[in-house]
């Protein structure tokens, strides 16, 4: 036995002390130790354990005094060994408390352990994790601890890597990127020769913050990492997204081009070019350049479909899920857009099932292609309906879906909601509304883990025995698509968030007689379920106090005001040309333009097209963002006519326009995205403003501008429609949706 082992050994009379401490019987342990010390005061281990007993009884001052007395009694030659005995005892008990999840006691012990052994990096790292677990963490104290760490030692100490990764993960998940976390992260990267060992945690953290809308934080994390690993293409590609969402369009475009040039693998090239396309059309005046890349993008997608790549990871699948997102903004082609979308999503589902099988095993219900058939009872069944979405919050989908949730017949249906949210504090008022009206409202947390997040959510849905799962996100959230691909519910439906995803695992897509043409079924893998009137109905919108007045914009009181509020990617130049043609034919008319884009570049686009049609640029007004949705809606009242976008119409913006009684001109196409405004007008009882050609779009725009009585007539129709039209009758709409669910269940298994 070594000298240290001999020194640590307890005498026979105190052999039961570690077990008593583990069992929480601190008073009995203390009594035994005090008796043993009286008999053998020279045994340092007894004093070490006695201090522990005092500490765990919340007598910190007596614990510390006991330890100091132990060390003071030692001679100079004994001191080093005595101190090591104390450290070893404290470490042993700390590990014991951690194994029992006694975080507070473990934190207390490690706090004193650090005082006796400040050079122990492992203890410092565990202390940080425990401080977070016990909610005693402060950024300043953590930074002081980190400043005492010699990171050059860390760099060459591979046994510490696991604890370093654990600490970094804990900080990234719980500190909201505070100063201490930033300092620790940067020092860690400076010290290591292998930054890639941290890349997975870095990406997970960036994704988590982006889901919460904290794009600047996501950008800072990635930029710091890329300083030390500039060739990490996968992380730089995500930086493209976060620059764009933070409205740093030029950085987004430049970074996307750099990634495309450096990409070797086809999935990375698809990622880069898809994000480049998205950034170019979002910026405001780069449509011509975007068209150059569109054909390349489609060719790459066709190569993936034809090659049937055998090694797609969940991260690759996330990239492909979004890969067709931009197509409807460029062209109104139901056949081309849908067929490519369907092929890509089918491929994603096939590979995702392989990934799932590798993660949770081939016999798990979520990876079985043919799930056990759910036997239907003879008596009427209370269907269990689940709604899955990232948007049950202040978001367009959140504003629209609330009516259905509120009017569900909860005597006949068991309603569940799975609200996908980041692991951050939830303060959203609309989310709180959903929590109050949905009996089984469940927040499912995204960690950013590409391999497990979707399976964790799918398992919750499967465990709840959901009969019909309604996805509100479509391909706007890759995570929702992955959940659907595992088929956790007997019947799966897509509604509201976007066009249908094209996943074979989705059974139905909710439509109506107008939003998709009759022949559309030929291009959908989902069965189109057409409701009798409309695929969406709302009871109205909250209006604030308007902040926009003609005098503020230097507009004549008798001017005709055209208005458009859309983001940059919906502003196709061909439609803007038509809008300028309208202005050129309507004297004393002005155009108000609002939406997210690069303001300078958007002005250039509109100014160039206006001048080409002989319209003076001083007839254009560019509006800033409003503080709230309620104020935005109130400000719509300044408009005489709203001019819709094409080939991607407004949706929520159209509903808001019609609710406040403003006439709208829309160009109807063949794809879902170009028929939203059409179905909304029809279901509000209005035919005026529906154009089937470019020429009709201009004609309606001019007529509304020149005929104030026509505007008044349509405005009157819209305001009266609030009391009778299907678009504004969410109770009727809810009954129709419920009837659809019941019929879907009747059809199930037949």
């Amino acid at each position: 036995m070594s000298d240290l082992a001999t020194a640590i050994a307890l005498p026979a009379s105190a052999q039961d002390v570690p077990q008593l401490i583990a069992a929480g019987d601190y008073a009995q342990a203390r009594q035994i130790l005090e008796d043993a010390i009286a008999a053998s005061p020279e045994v340092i281990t007894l004093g070490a354990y006695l201090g522990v007993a005092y500490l765990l009884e919340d007598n910190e001052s007596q614990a510390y005094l006991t330890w100091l007395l132990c060390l003071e009694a030692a001679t100079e030659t004994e001191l080093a060994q005595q101190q090591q005995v104390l450290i070893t005892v404290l470490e042993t008990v700390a590990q014991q408390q951690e194994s029992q999840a006694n975080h507070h006691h473990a934190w207390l012990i490690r706090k004193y352990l650090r005082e006796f052994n400040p050079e122990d990096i492992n203890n410092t790292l565990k202390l940080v994790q425990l401080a977070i677990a016990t909610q005693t963490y402060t950024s300043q104290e953590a930074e002081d601890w980190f400043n005492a760490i010699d990171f050059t030692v860390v760099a060459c100490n591979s046994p510490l890597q696991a604890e370093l990764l654990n600490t970094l993960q804990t900080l990234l998940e719980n500190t909201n990127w505070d100063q201490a976390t930033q300092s620790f992260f940067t020092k860690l990267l400076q010290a290591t020769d292998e930054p890639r060992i941290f890349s997975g945690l870095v990406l997970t953290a960036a994704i988590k913050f982006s889901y919460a809308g904290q794009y600047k934080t996501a950008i800072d994390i990635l930029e710091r990492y890329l300083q030390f690993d500039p060739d990490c293409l996968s992380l730089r590609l995500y930086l493209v997204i976060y620059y764009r969402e933070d409205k740093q369009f030029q950085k987004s475009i430049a970074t996307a081009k750099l990634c495309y040039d450096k990409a070797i693998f086809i999935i990375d090239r698809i990622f880069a070019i898809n994000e480049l396309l998205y950034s170019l059309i979002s910026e405001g005046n780069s449509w011509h350049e975007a068209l150059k890349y569109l054909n390349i993008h489609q060719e790459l997608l066709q190569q993936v479909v034809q090659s049937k790549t055998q090694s797609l990871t969940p991260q690759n699948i996330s990239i492909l899920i979004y890969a067709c997102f931009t197509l409807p903004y460029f062209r109104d082609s139901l056949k081309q857009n849908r067929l490519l979308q369907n092929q890509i999503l089918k491929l994603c589902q096939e590979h995702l099932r392989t990934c799932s099988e590798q993660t949770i095993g081939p016999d798990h219900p979520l990876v079985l292609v043919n799930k056990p058939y759910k036997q239907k009872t003879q008596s009427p069944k209370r269907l269990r309906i689940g709604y899955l979405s990232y948007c049950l919050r202040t978001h367009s989908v959140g504003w629209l879906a609330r009516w259905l949730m509120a009017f569900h017949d909860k005597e006949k249906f068991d309603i569940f909601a799975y609200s996908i949210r980041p692991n951050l504090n939830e303060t959203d008022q609309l989310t709180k509304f959903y929590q109050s009206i949905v009996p089984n409202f469940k927040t499912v947390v995204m960690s950013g883990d590409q391999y497990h997040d979707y399976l964790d959510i799918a398992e919750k849905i499967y465990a709840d025995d959901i009969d019909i799962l309604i996805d509100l996100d479509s391909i706007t959230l890759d995570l929702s698509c992955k959940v659907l691909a595992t088929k956790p519910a007997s019947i799966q439906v897509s509604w509201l968030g976007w066009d249908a995803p094209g996943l074979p695992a989705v059974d139905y897509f909710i439509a109506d007689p107008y939003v998709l043409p009759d022949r559309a079924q030929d291009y959908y893998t989902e069965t189109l379920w057409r409701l009798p009137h409309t695929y969406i109905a709302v009871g109205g919108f909250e209006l604030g106090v308007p902040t926009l007045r003609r005098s503020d914009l230097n507009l004549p009181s008798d001017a005709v005001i055209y208005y458009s509020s859309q983001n940059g990617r919906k502003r196709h130049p061909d439609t803007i040309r038509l809008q300028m043609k309208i202005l050129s034919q309507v004297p004393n008319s002005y155009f108000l333009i609002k939406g997210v884009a690069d303001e300078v570049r958007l002005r250039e686009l509109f100014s160039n097209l206006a001048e080409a049609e002989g319209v003076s640029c001083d007839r254009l007004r560019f509006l800033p963002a409003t503080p709230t949705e309620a104020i935005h809606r109130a400000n719509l009242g300044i408009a005489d006519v709203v001019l819709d976008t094409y080939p991607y119409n407004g949706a929520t913006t159209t509903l808001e326009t019609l609710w406040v009684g403003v006439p709208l001109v829309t160009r109807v196409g063949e794809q879902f995205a170009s028929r939203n405004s059409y179905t909304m007008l029809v279901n509000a009882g209005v035919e005026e403003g529906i154009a089937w050609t470019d020429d009709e779009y201009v004609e309606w725009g001019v007529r509304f501008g020149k005929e104030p009585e026509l505007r008044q007539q349509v405005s009157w129709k819209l305001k009266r429609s609030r009391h009778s039209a299907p678009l504004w009758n969410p109770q009727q709409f809810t009954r129709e949706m419920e009837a659809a669910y019941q019929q879907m269940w009747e059809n199930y298994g037949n």
Side-chain angles (χ1 to χ4, degrees):
M1 184 180 290
S2 68
D3 291 342
L4 179 60
T6 302
I8 292 173
L10 285 164
S13 61
Q15 288 290 316
D16 293 338
V17 165
Q19 290 76 23
L20 290 169
I21 288 176
D25 194 349
Y26 310 128
Q28 179 67 16
R30 176 168 48 77
Q31 185 61 56
I32 291 172
L33 289 164
E34 288 172 347
D35 293 343
I37 289 171
S40 307
E42 74 284 357
V43 180
I44 182 68
T45 313
L46 295 171
Y49 271 108
L50 181 59
V52 168
Y54 280 127
L55 185 67
L56 299 183
E57 285 185 305
D58 296 323
N59 193 344
E60 287 191 53
S61 59
Q62 189 62 44
Y64 190 53
L65 179 61
T66 301
W67 291 325
L68 290 180
L69 289 173
C70 289
L71 297 176
E72 285 177 3
T75 65
E76 188 173 340
T77 56
E78 295 173 333
L79 183 59
Q81 186 182 60
Q82 302 284 57
Q83 191 165 3
Q84 189 57 53
V85 169
L86 175 58
I87 290 168
T88 303
V89 168
L90 292 177
E91 177 64 38
T92 300
V93 179
Q95 291 181 17
Q96 179 193 76
Q97 295 296 310
E98 287 163 0
S99 69
Q100 295 176 322
N102 294 329
H103 299 309
H104 176 70
H105 284 162
W107 168 77
L108 264 178
I109 295 166
R110 290 202 176 279
K111 184 178 176 183
Y112 283 99
L113 183 55
R114 185 177 184 279
E115 188 162 336
F116 293 117
N117 191 19
E119 292 80 19
D120 186 346
I121 297 172
N122 191 69
N123 181 66
T124 299
L125 297 175
K126 288 183 179 294
L127 183 56
V128 172
Q129 296 174 47
L130 288 166
I132 290 172
T134 56
Q135 298 183 343
T136 57
Y137 172 92
T138 67
S139 181
Q140 183 58 59
E141 185 176 46
E143 193 164 8
D144 291 341
W145 294 341
F146 295 146
N147 286 337
I149 293 177
D150 183 353
F151 279 86
T152 59
V153 174
V154 170
C156 58
N157 191 334
S158 56
L160 269 176
Q161 281 190 3
E163 211 55 60
L164 289 166
L165 287 168
N166 287 339
T167 304
L168 179 59
Q169 181 174 1
T170 303
L171 288 165
L172 289 172
E173 288 179 353
N174 296 281
T175 65
N176 208 20
W177 196 237
D178 66 356
Q179 187 61 44
T181 305
Q182 295 172 35
S183 173
F184 180 74
F185 182 55
T186 303
K187 288 177 178 179
L188 208 53
L189 291 172
Q190 287 171 336
T192 185
D193 294 328
E194 299 179 30
R196 287 283 166 99
I197 63 173
F198 304 110
S199 63
L201 287 180
V202 170
L203 180 57
T204 296
I207 291 172
K208 183 198 75 168
F209 283 110
S210 74
Y211 282 155
Q214 298 186 30
Y215 299 111
K216 291 189 187 303
T217 299
I219 289 168
D220 189 26
I221 291 171
L222 293 181
E223 286 182 338
R224 285 174 189 258
Y225 176 84
L226 289 166
Q227 289 178 25
F228 302 94
D229 188 11
D231 296 326
C232 187
L233 187 66
S234 60
L235 267 65
R236 196 173 293 280
L237 281 163
Y238 279 89
L239 196 54
V240 174
I241 301 171
Y242 306 147
Y243 279 144
R244 181 180 64 243
E245 296 301 321
D246 196 45
K247 303 179 182 60
Q248 300 184 51
F249 296 105
Q250 301 311 318
K251 277 190 175 183
S252 180
I253 291 168
T255 306
K257 289 179 178 178
L258 174 66
C259 291
Y260 181 70
D261 291 340
K262 288 183 174 293
I264 298 172
F265 301 108
I266 189 169
I267 297 296
D268 288 337
R269 296 182 72 200
I270 287 171
F271 193 174
I273 201 167
N274 186 53
E275 296 306 329
L276 176 57
L277 287 170
Y278 200 4
S279 296
L280 286 168
I281 62 176
S282 297
E283 179 247 29
N285 192 20
S286 296
W287 282 87
H288 182 70
E289 184 179 2
L291 288 170
K292 297 178 183 178
Y293 290 98
L294 182 61
N295 289 335
I296 301 172
H297 183 48
Q298 292 176 114
E299 289 170 5
L300 290 172
L301 291 174
Q302 289 293 356
Q303 287 178 36
V304 169
V305 171
Q306 292 163 10
S307 67
K308 297 187 177 179
T309 306
Q310 298 300 308
S311 57
L312 293 180
T313 66
Q315 187 172 337
N316 296 150
I317 293 166
S318 289
I319 292 167
L320 288 176
I321 284 171
Y322 288 124
C324 297
F325 185 76
T326 57
L327 298 183
Y329 294 99
F330 284 97
R331 65 189 182 204
D332 178 27
S333 177
L334 180 63
K335 180 178 180 179
Q336 280 184 287
N337 293 349
R338 287 305 315 173
L339 291 183
L340 186 55
Q341 171 82 15
N342 296 341
Q343 289 174 320
I344 292 294
L345 269 291
K346 180 182 178 183
L347 184 69
C348 288
Q349 178 169 305
E350 291 169 353
H351 285 274
L352 197 63
R353 290 199 169 175
T354 301
C355 295
S356 301
E357 182 176 336
Q358 293 169 352
T359 304
I360 58 178
D363 298 325
H364 194 287
L366 293 177
V367 299
L368 295 175
V369 176
N370 297 309
K371 302 286 194 299
Y373 174 68
K374 191 182 290 186
Q375 294 293 332
K376 293 186 290 187
T377 60
Q378 295 298 318
S379 58
K381 170 183 170 60
R382 281 174 61 92
L383 289 176
R384 297 167 74 85
I385 309 296
Y387 291 90
L388 172 69
S389 184
Y390 168 61
C391 301
L392 301 179
R393 56 188 171 88
T394 302
H395 182 281
S396 291
V397 169
W399 288 115
L400 304 184
R402 59 182 171 152
W403 300 98
L404 174 61
M405 305 277 194
F407 288 115
H408 258 311
D409 187 340
K410 298 174 180 70
E411 296 298 318
K412 295 182 178 179
F413 299 88
D414 291 326
I415 307 300
F416 293 73
Y418 302 91
S419 176
I420 303 174
R421 298 297 295 141
N423 189 17
L424 298 171
N425 291 333
E426 180 59 74
T427 57
D428 189 277
Q429 291 302 311
L430 195 51
T431 300
K432 291 179 180 178
F433 171 76
Y434 277 107
Q435 290 171 332
S436 71
I437 63 170
V438 178
N440 302 289
F441 186 95
K442 303 187 178 186
T443 298
V444 288
V445 173
M446 299 178 292
S447 69
D449 185 327
Q450 299 276 357
Y451 284 83
H452 292 97
D453 271 357
Y454 74 95
L455 289 170
D456 291 344
I457 298 170
E459 285 186 321
K460 287 181 174 66
I461 295 168
Y462 187 79
D464 285 335
D465 198 25
I466 297 300
D467 297 313
I468 303 177
L469 178 66
I470 297 90
D471 164 50
L472 307 183
D473 297 333
S474 188
I475 66 166
T476 62
L477 186 69
D478 60 318
L479 188 54
S480 295
C481 268
K482 290 178 180 178
V483 172
L484 292 171
T486 68
K487 193 74 170 177
S490 302
I491 299 169
Q492 299 193 150
V493 181
S494 182
W495 173 61
L496 198 60
W498 197 71
D499 202 346
L503 277 171
V506 176
D507 302 288
Y508 298 103
F509 179 53
I510 300 295
D512 62 37
Y514 313 100
V515 77
L516 282 171
D518 292 339
R519 61 188 177 85
Q521 184 63 73
D522 295 342
Y523 309 114
Y524 280 83
T525 59
E526 303 87 352
T527 297
L528 298 181
W529 193 286
R530 299 181 192 273
L531 297 177
H533 301 98
T534 174
Y535 83 95
I536 180 63
V538 299
F541 294 95
E542 294 81 354
L543 300 180
V545 178
T547 60
L548 206 57
R549 293 171 177 79
R550 293 185 177 222
S551 57
D552 298 333
L553 301 172
N554 194 28
L555 295 173
S557 60
D558 60 345
V560 176
I561 297 181
Y562 293 98
Y563 185 99
S564 176
S565 176
Q566 294 294 351
N567 55 54
R569 62 183 178 270
K570 287 190 179 182
R571 298 193 181 282
H572 197 289
D574 290 348
T575 303
I576 297 175
R577 288 189 187 93
L578 300 180
Q579 293 166 346
M580 294 306 107
K581 288 181 183 296
I582 293 170
L583 259 70
S584 71
Q585 297 179 47
V586 179
N588 196 29
S589 62
Y590 294 80
F591 197 15
L592 309 188
I593 302 145
K594 178 175 178 282
V596 177
D598 183 311
E599 185 177 342
V600 173
R601 295 287 287 162
L602 190 66
R603 284 176 181 268
E604 289 175 359
L605 175 66
F606 271 88
S607 298
N608 292 338
L609 293 173
E611 290 175 357
E613 295 298 329
V615 175
S616 172
C617 294
D618 63 10
R619 295 169 63 186
L620 307 178
R621 299 288 188 276
F622 295 87
L623 306 179
T626 49
T628 67
E629 289 90 345
I631 294 174
H632 157 73
R633 297 176 197 126
N635 285 342
L636 285 169
I638 196 173
D640 292 306
V641 187
V642 167
L643 299 178
D644 197 13
T645 49
Y646 173 86
Y648 207 116
N649 292 170
T652 305
T653 52
T654 294
L655 285 168
E656 292 169 331
T657 297
L658 302 182
W659 178 253
V660 298
V662 178
L664 178 133
V665 179
T666 188
R667 165 74 162 86
V668 187
E670 60 178 22
Q671 65 184 357
F672 180 83
S674 63
R675 298 172 69 92
N676 266 298
S677 296
Y678 165 51
T679 188
M680 291 169 186
L681 278 166
V682 171
N683 279 290
V686 174
E687 297 181 359
E688 296 86 346
I690 298 173
W692 296 91
T693 65
D694 290 350
D695 288 342
E696 286 186 16
Y697 183 89
V698 174
E699 289 169 8
W700 274 117
V702 172
R703 279 195 63 189
F704 275 127
K706 290 184 174 181
E707 301 177 25
E709 65 281 359
L710 177 62
R711 298 199 300 269
Q712 291 172 2
Q713 178 186 353
V714 171
S715 180
W716 178 77
K717 273 188 181 182
L718 287 171
K719 288 174 181 176
R720 282 198 63 191
S721 75
R722 293 182 180 184
H723 308 289
S724 58
L727 191 64
W728 314 124
N729 192 341
Q731 294 98 325
Q732 174 183 299
F733 171 76
T734 302
R735 300 292 85 79
E736 291 170 355
M737 282 286 273
E738 290 174 343
Y741 295 158
Q742 289 172 321
Q743 188 59 56
M744 290 174 188
W745 184 251
E746 287 301 312
N747 296 348
Y748 172 61
N750 294 335

